[in-house]
Amino acid sequence: YRYVRGYGVSPFEVVSVLIIVFALLDRSQGRYEYEADARCLKFRKRSWIGSKDIEVSYRDIIGIYKYKAKLIGYWKFRRTYRLNSALDGRMVWAIAYKVGVSGKPEHYERIYFKPSDEMLQYLSARMPGKVMVPETQIVVDAFRDEEAGKNK
């Protein structure tokens, strides 16, 4: 608007607008694929900016819960991946899992995704008691696993 009216525009303003446009296009136009096999969950993201493949082993998953935005969460995650289209109208679910080297957990990460009902049913059968549970139960399970790891 300022440029059209003849006022000066700083490069910072132009770059800021471009970053916002790219972020919105990436979230809305990305293509996401979810695949569950015998060992792990596989996530594929394809977009203009690039592609990303993530594999999460079933044994590393703490739980899958309904995502609900909040100001302060119960648990600190090192990374959060948003692997869902902003234009998809389905419910957002979150997978909390541990990441570590040689079986020793170093930190926790999560993935936001929008699975189908069939995938949630398959995962519920594959991992009983870990799918479609409250977030508070996942936090308690994570603390229990962390304390069990310290006591070994």
Side-chain angles (χ1 to χ4, degrees):
Y1 176 77
R2 289 178 58 185
Y3 179 75
V4 171
R5 290 290 182 196
Y7 300 110
V9 180
S10 73
F12 176 74
E13 292 172 335
V14 173
V15 170
S16 299
V17 169
L18 286 176
I19 288 173
I20 291 170
V21 168
F22 276 116
L24 289 174
L25 286 174
D26 185 52
R27 283 294 312 277
S28 63
Q29 299 300 320
R31 300 184 66 58
Y32 303 92
E33 298 175 11
Y34 315 129
E35 181 182 338
D37 64 10
R39 293 183 320 107
C40 63
L41 281 172
K42 296 178 184 177
F43 299 91
R44 284 185 207 92
K45 174 186 175 185
R46 306 284 181 252
S47 68
W48 291 4
I49 295 175
S51 63
K52 181 176 233 23
D53 294 333
I54 298 175
E55 289 188 12
V56 180
S57 174
Y58 290 130
R59 69 173 189 263
D60 293 336
I61 293 177
I62 299 167
I64 299 175
Y65 59 95
K66 233 183 242 186
Y67 170 71
K68 183 178 179 187
K70 58 176 95 37
L71 188 59
I72 299 174
Y74 301 117
W75 191 253
K76 177 72 175 160
F77 294 95
R78 178 171 287 179
R79 286 184 189 86
T80 297
Y81 299 104
R82 287 165 182 82
L83 301 178
N84 60 317
S85 174
L87 299 177
D88 189 352
R90 292 181 286 182
M91 179 71 68
V92 178
W93 292 83
I95 298 177
Y97 61 98
K98 50 190 163 184
V99 177
V101 178
S102 69
K104 183 177 177 184
E106 290 182 355
H107 60 274
Y108 297 93
E109 296 180 353
R110 69 180 158 191
I111 296 174
Y112 296 148
F113 73 126
K114 294 183 178 180
S116 65
D117 291 334
E118 293 85 18
M119 182 175 223
L120 284 173
Q121 294 304 322
Y122 172 79
L123 292 173
S124 181
R126 183 88 172 107
M127 300 179 297
K130 289 187 173 185
V131 180
M132 298 185 285
V133 296
E135 184 179 3
T136 53
Q137 179 182 340
I138 291 171
V139 171
V140 169
D141 291 345
F143 278 131
R144 188 180 316 123
D145 289 347
E146 195 172 280
E147 287 299 318
K150 288 180 182 177
N151 293 333
K152 283 186 178 180

